[in-house]
């Protein structure tokens, strides 16, 4: 069916002509993404109007996180920021797993408590997380601070027959949850009760090989251990996320996300525990992001083929470029890490930053050559870029297409600026668009290190004065300060000239 096409869109109350109808008309401005639960792209409708509750599985704080881990967390940050961009009020929870077998073993080897062992890694993680430009989730709970909540869920599961005790440990009874497998779609037919086909290496006796530990028995003096009505022990891995998500977000919440590898068994088990305990849907949408690879092998601690964030910054790479690289590919596609890719990202973020400085520094044209908003090719390009950006992000969070919209705008406005100055409305429109893009992507960086044309002129004047007074130290200092901000000075026969690097 043909749809009548408008010949304008509005900007600040003014009507603008539009040539790119095709782009306008493909937009529905409805966020959709791939729900692992339904294996299809779904429109996002939160349970409560205007409010979103989201849980993203956080790191195990037993070592420095590598940039593969951070691909998942940067994706989580984009998801977070885009939900806010769409106008929702968001509560976002990301846990810190501060107890597991590796942590217990490493702490024991050093003869310190698990808390003493994990605390520095939790801090390092958050430092790296911040340095990568991620916004902090509203709530960052730690597993060991939520043992009573885990005990409550396990007690309920014991009472309603979804869990049983064996050799002092407590197991989840998968036979009591017929929907087991609904997330990962792994078929367990023809399986495996007892017998040799074990898919879990727990050493204790279980009714069914698929059953997993909720609570592991520990001896009276063994650390770490917590008293519970069903005996002293420590929690299994999966129960912590059921406990912390439901505590802060309610029994049913909107969105649960994490890396691809968490789909099974971790998220499948979270569903079994939570829905087994409450009888209600646990999370409405499940999003899983793909791996970062290196030489086509998944980056992982166990394979030893990883770089931490700090490895790369020590080599002089900027956090902004690392972030750019990690978000340059849509989350459902694998990304292969290379140093050429990282160098490319470095020049891209520099170009973006320079573009913003250039637009900022441009003195708005006076009446001569000024372009009103109506009929402005710059503003029209801004409108198109914003619409393309939102359409791309709505379309299963396609950040690669969103970045293409940003880069196209930069190119078009650069072409315009090569010919004429921007009017102050045009300048505002471009800067406003950059602000909107960056509220989601966070790739333009902070503005502290930017310098405006007027400030540069002033510093150059000061430097001339210093030279006239034979204060060469001050003159050199000013030159270095400008150089650090990417400003190159040239002495010409017509006087001092400057340009941006
Ligand atoms: P962990 O600290 O092992 O619990 O992992 C933290 C997060 O990093 C989880 O969501 C994992 O799925 C994710 N992750 C681990 N390795 C990679 C990788 N190579 N690429 C992307 N995400 C990963
Ligand atoms: Zn989890």
């Amino acid at each position: 069916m043909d749809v009548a096409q408008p010949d304008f869109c509005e900007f600040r109350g003014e009507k603008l002509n539009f040539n790119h109808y095709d782009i306008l008309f493909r937009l529905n401005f409805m966020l959709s993404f791939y729900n692992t639960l339904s294996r299809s792209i779904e429109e996002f409708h939160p349970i409560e109007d205007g409010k979103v509750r989201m849980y993203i599985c956080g790191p195990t704080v037993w070592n420095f996180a590598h940039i593969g881990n951070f691909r998942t967390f940067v994706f989580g940050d984009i998801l977070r920021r885009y939900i806010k961009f769409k106008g929702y009020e968001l509560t976002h929870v990301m846990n810190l797993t501060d107890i597991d077998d590796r942590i217990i073993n490493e702490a024991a080897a050093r003869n310190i408590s698990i808390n003493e062992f994990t605390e520095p890694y939790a801090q390092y993680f958050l430092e790296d997380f911040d340095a990568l430009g991620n916004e902090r989730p509203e709530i960052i709970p730690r597993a060991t601070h939520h043992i009573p909540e885990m005990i409550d869920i396990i007690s309920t599961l014991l009472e309603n027959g979804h869990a049983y005790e064996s050799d002092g440990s407590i197991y989840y009874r998968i036979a009591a949850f017929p929907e087991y497998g609904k997330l990962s779609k792994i078929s367990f037919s023809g399986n495996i009760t007892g017998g040799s086909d074990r898919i879990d290496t727990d050493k204790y006796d279980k009714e069914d090989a698929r059953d997993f530990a909720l609570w592991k028995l520990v001896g009276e003096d063994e650390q770490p251990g917590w008293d519970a009505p069903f005996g002293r022990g420590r929690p299994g891995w999966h129960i912590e996320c059921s406990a912390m998500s439901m505590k802060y977000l309610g029994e049913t919440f909107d969105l649960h996300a994490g890396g691809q590898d968490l789909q099974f068994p971790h998220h499948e088990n979270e569903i079994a525990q939570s829905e087994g305990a409450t009888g209600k849907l646990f999370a409405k949408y499940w999003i899983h992001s793909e791996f970062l690879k290196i030489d086509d092998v998944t980056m992982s601690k166990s394979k030893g083929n990883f770089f931490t964030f700090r490895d790369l910054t020590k080599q002089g790479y900027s956090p902004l470029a690392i972030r750019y690289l990690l978000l340059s590919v849509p989350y459902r596609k694998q990304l292969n890490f290379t140093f050429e890719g990282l160098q490319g990202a470095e020049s891209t973020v520099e170009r973006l930053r320079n573009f913003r400085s250039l637009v900022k520094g441009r003195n708005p044209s006076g009446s001569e050559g000024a372009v009103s908003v109506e009929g402005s090719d710059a503003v029209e390009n801004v409108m198109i870029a914003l619409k393309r950006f939102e359409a791309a992000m709505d379309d299963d969070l396609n950040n690669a297409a969103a970045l293409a919209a940003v880069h196209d705008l930069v190119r078009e406005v650069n072409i315009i600026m090569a010919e004429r100055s921007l009017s102050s409305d045009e300048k505002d429109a471009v800067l406003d668009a950059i602000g909107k893009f960056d509220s989601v992507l966070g790739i333009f960086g902070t503005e502290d290190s930017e310098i405006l044309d007027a400030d540069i002129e002033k510093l150059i004047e000061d430097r001339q004065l210093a030279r006239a007074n034979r204060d060469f130290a001050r003159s050199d200092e000013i030159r270095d300060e400008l150089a650090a901000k990417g400003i190159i000075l040239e002495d010409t026969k017509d006087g001092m000239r400057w340009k941006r690097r």
Side-chain angles (χ1 to χ4, degrees):
M1 194 182 78
D2 276 352
V3 184
Q5 297 179 341
D7 53 3
F8 63 86
C9 69
E10 291 218 345
F11 177 72
R12 295 187 177 171
E14 289 195 56
K15 289 179 178 176
L16 304 174
N17 292 326
F18 240 107
N19 300 321
H20 295 74
Y21 303 118
D22 54 328
I23 295 165
L24 261 181
F25 272 81
R26 267 188 278 120
L27 308 184
N28 61 3
F29 290 105
M30 172 59 72
L31 172 56
S32 308
F33 45 70
Y34 186 84
N35 186 355
T36 311
L37 203 54
S38 66
R39 291 282 194 274
S40 63
I41 304 274
E42 287 183 41
E43 282 188 358
F44 178 59
H45 297 287
I47 297 159
E48 199 180 332
D49 236 10
K51 292 194 175 158
V52 176
R53 288 167 287 151
M54 170 167 87
Y55 187 89
I56 301 187
C57 291
T60 309
V61 284
W62 72 289
N63 210 320
F64 289 96
H66 58 66
I67 53 166
N69 302 130
F70 279 116
R71 180 183 185 198
T72 294
F73 297 119
V74 168
F75 165 69
D77 185 56
I78 299 289
L79 178 59
R80 167 194 171 79
R81 289 161 172 252
Y82 195 61
I83 287 169
K84 295 202 305 179
F85 181 93
K86 295 297 278 184
Y88 295 110
E89 192 184 303
L90 175 69
T91 309
H92 169 190
V93 179
M94 175 184 71
N95 68 300
L96 300 181
T97 298
D98 60 355
I99 174 164
D100 79 348
D101 287 347
R102 289 170 302 191
I103 290 171
I104 294 169
N105 294 339
E106 296 280 343
R110 289 166 178 72
N111 208 14
I112 54 177
S113 70
I114 57 166
N115 186 44
E116 283 168 318
F117 175 69
T118 56
E119 188 53 37
Y121 291 113
Q123 291 313 321
Y124 299 144
F125 172 78
L126 291 172
E127 280 169 28
D128 296 356
F129 184 89
D130 293 347
L132 273 164
N134 298 306
E135 289 181 2
R136 291 263 183 122
E138 281 66 33
I139 305 167
I140 308 182
R142 291 174 194 221
T144 54
H145 297 183
H146 295 78
I147 304 289
E149 288 83 353
M150 299 184 215
I151 290 174
D152 280 352
I153 298 174
I154 297 170
S155 300
T156 306
L157 291 171
L158 279 167
E159 278 160 29
N160 71 14
H162 283 82
Y164 60 92
E165 185 266 352
S166 173
D167 269 354
S169 291
I170 311 293
Y171 294 93
Y172 190 88
R173 177 180 283 125
I174 285 180
F177 189 69
E179 289 179 84
Y180 192 77
K182 69 177 174 179
L183 180 72
S184 57
K185 314 289 186 246
I186 293 176
S187 164
F188 294 95
S189 57
N191 177 12
I192 55 181
T193 308
S196 57
D197 263 318
R198 296 227 151 178
I199 56 169
D200 189 315
T201 53
D202 274 332
K203 58 180 184 283
Y204 311 101
D205 276 342
K206 297 187 286 184
E207 292 176 2
D208 184 318
R210 297 172 301 169
D211 293 349
F212 58 91
L214 296 166
W215 191 254
K216 299 180 180 179
L217 173 76
V218 305
E220 269 317 305
D221 301 322
E222 209 178 311
Q223 289 298 341
W226 289 267
D227 291 329
F230 35 80
R232 183 178 159 79
R234 62 184 167 85
W237 168 30
H238 315 294
I239 192 69
E240 67 171 80
C241 285
S242 287
M244 289 183 273
S245 58
M246 292 199 290
K247 170 164 184 181
Y248 296 106
L249 301 174
E251 291 178 339
T252 302
F253 55 92
D254 299 296
L255 241 169
H256 197 313
Q260 188 59 34
D261 56 329
L262 298 187
Q263 215 183 101
F264 183 84
H266 183 53
H267 289 162
E268 196 71 65
N269 291 353
E270 274 188 53
I271 292 175
Q273 294 163 158
S274 308
E275 298 189 3
T278 67
K280 296 178 191 157
L281 178 74
F282 177 45
K284 195 172 168 193
Y285 302 93
W286 288 82
I287 303 191
H288 293 97
S289 55
E290 260 301 346
F291 283 136
L292 181 70
K293 298 196 148 192
I294 183 160
D295 298 327
D296 290 317
V297 178
T298 299
M299 185 176 283
S300 78
K301 275 268 150 61
S302 57
K303 293 195 189 82
N305 60 345
F306 64 89
F307 291 102
T308 65
F309 171 73
R310 288 160 197 243
D311 291 337
L312 298 180
T313 50
K314 263 188 220 130
Q315 290 184 37
Y317 292 101
S318 71
L320 214 53
I322 301 170
R323 179 179 176 89
Y324 186 94
L325 184 74
L326 294 179
L327 61 72
S328 58
V329 166
Y331 75 97
R332 284 204 293 140
K333 290 207 163 74
Q334 293 181 346
L335 167 60
N336 200 43
F337 174 83
T338 61
F339 278 98
E340 294 84 72
L342 185 53
Q343 273 143 19
E346 202 72 74
S347 7
T348 305
V349 292
E350 174 132 4
R351 195 165 61 238
L352 292 175
R353 181 192 279 273
N354 285 344
F355 172 74
R356 184 174 58 188
S357 303
L358 201 62
V359 173
K360 269 210 176 132
R362 280 289 166 116
N363 290 326
S365 50
S367 52
E368 192 198 340
V371 180
S372 68
V373 167
E374 192 171 0
S376 154
D377 46 354
V379 174
E380 190 177 302
N381 274 298
V382 164
M383 301 304 295
I384 292 167
L386 283 170
K387 283 177 185 300
R388 279 180 59 197
F389 177 83
E390 192 167 354
M393 292 302 291
D394 278 350
D395 180 14
D396 198 19
L397 303 157
N398 187 344
N399 30 12
L403 283 173
V406 176
H407 289 304
D408 286 349
L409 178 65
V410 169
R411 199 186 52 243
E412 296 296 335
V413 174
N414 270 329
I415 292 171
I416 294 168
M417 287 194 298
E419 287 171 3
R420 64 174 176 86
S421 301
L422 298 179
S423 71
S424 90
D425 274 345
E426 288 178 317
K427 191 170 136 170
D428 288 352
V430 174
L431 293 174
D432 178 62
I434 291 174
K436 288 201 168 83
F437 298 143
D438 223 35
S439 69
V440 177
L441 300 173
I443 50 174
F444 281 82
T446 56
E447 297 176 36
D448 311 345
S449 54
E450 283 183 11
I451 183 159
L452 303 180
D453 288 13
D455 299 332
I456 298 171
E457 310 280 353
K458 172 81 177 59
L459 279 169
I460 291 175
E461 251 174 52
D462 291 352
R463 181 161 179 262
Q464 306 290 52
L465 202 65
R467 285 169 114 189
N469 293 334
R470 306 191 66 77
D471 183 354
F472 297 114
R474 174 67 188 142
S475 154
D476 288 351
E477 194 180 280
I478 294 173
R479 185 200 55 215
D480 293 346
E481 185 183 338
L482 288 167
K485 292 183 169 164
I487 307 302
I488 297 160
L489 299 181
E490 285 168 0
D491 267 321
T492 71
K493 61 179 178 3
D494 303 322
M496 179 66 67
R497 290 254 182 83
W498 63 269
K499 62 179 185 196
R500 292 178 193 274
R501 193 173 348 121

